[in-house]
Amino acid sequence: MSLDEQAINAVKDYFDSIAQNAVDFVYESVGSETTFAEFMEAVTFKLNQFSSELVASEVLSKSAKSIENFNAGEGMTVDDVQELIANHEDGDLDEEDDDDEGIRF
């Protein structure tokens, strides 16, 4: 199974939890002026971020520390993970992350 397939399956397996965490996280920050569109845009962003970080941890075995430090502490994006998958399949991995434990959702 390719890393892309593994990534998709990991998100599928944890989707309910990821989605609920994204909604809860964003809901805590909404105010009376927040529009539905803004709320949904933020939920989608967090859903993508949480999914990406799950894949980085579970499929790519990245450490929690390396995930947290990505993008100057802003977390990982879908594009970041896709690049890591492509580099991993090309054999171009960061060796320091190979033995790190990942985070769990």
Side-chain angles (χ1 to χ4, degrees):
M1 182 179 326
S2 75
L3 287 177
D4 282 311
E5 290 172 308
Q6 290 177 41
I8 292 166
N9 287 330
V11 171
K12 179 192 170 293
D13 291 343
Y14 289 97
F15 187 78
D16 291 344
S17 177
I18 294 168
Q20 188 63 56
N21 287 338
V23 168
D24 291 345
F25 185 90
V26 173
Y27 184 79
E28 290 175 8
S29 67
V30 298
S32 60
E33 300 297 316
T34 303
T35 66
F36 176 70
E38 292 168 335
F39 175 76
M40 290 307 299
E41 184 177 331
V43 167
T44 301
F45 176 82
K46 281 299 179 187
L47 180 64
N48 286 335
Q49 181 182 20
F50 292 164
S51 296
S52 297
E53 292 175 355
L54 170 79
V55 170
S57 172
E58 296 293 321
V59 176
L60 300 173
S61 301
K62 295 293 182 188
S63 70
K65 180 180 175 186
S66 71
I67 292 169
E68 290 171 9
N69 290 331
F70 237 81
N71 295 317
E74 295 294 317
M76 300 186 88
T77 67
V78 172
D79 291 337
D80 295 328
V81 171
Q82 191 62 57
E83 184 177 330
L84 290 171
I85 288 171
N87 288 338
H88 186 275
E89 290 176 344
D90 292 339
D92 186 24
L93 265 182
D94 256 343
E95 291 182 19
E96 68 189 44
D97 288 332
D98 288 344
D99 296 326
D100 291 332
E101 278 189 43
I103 55 176
R104 300 277 183 220
F105 286 90

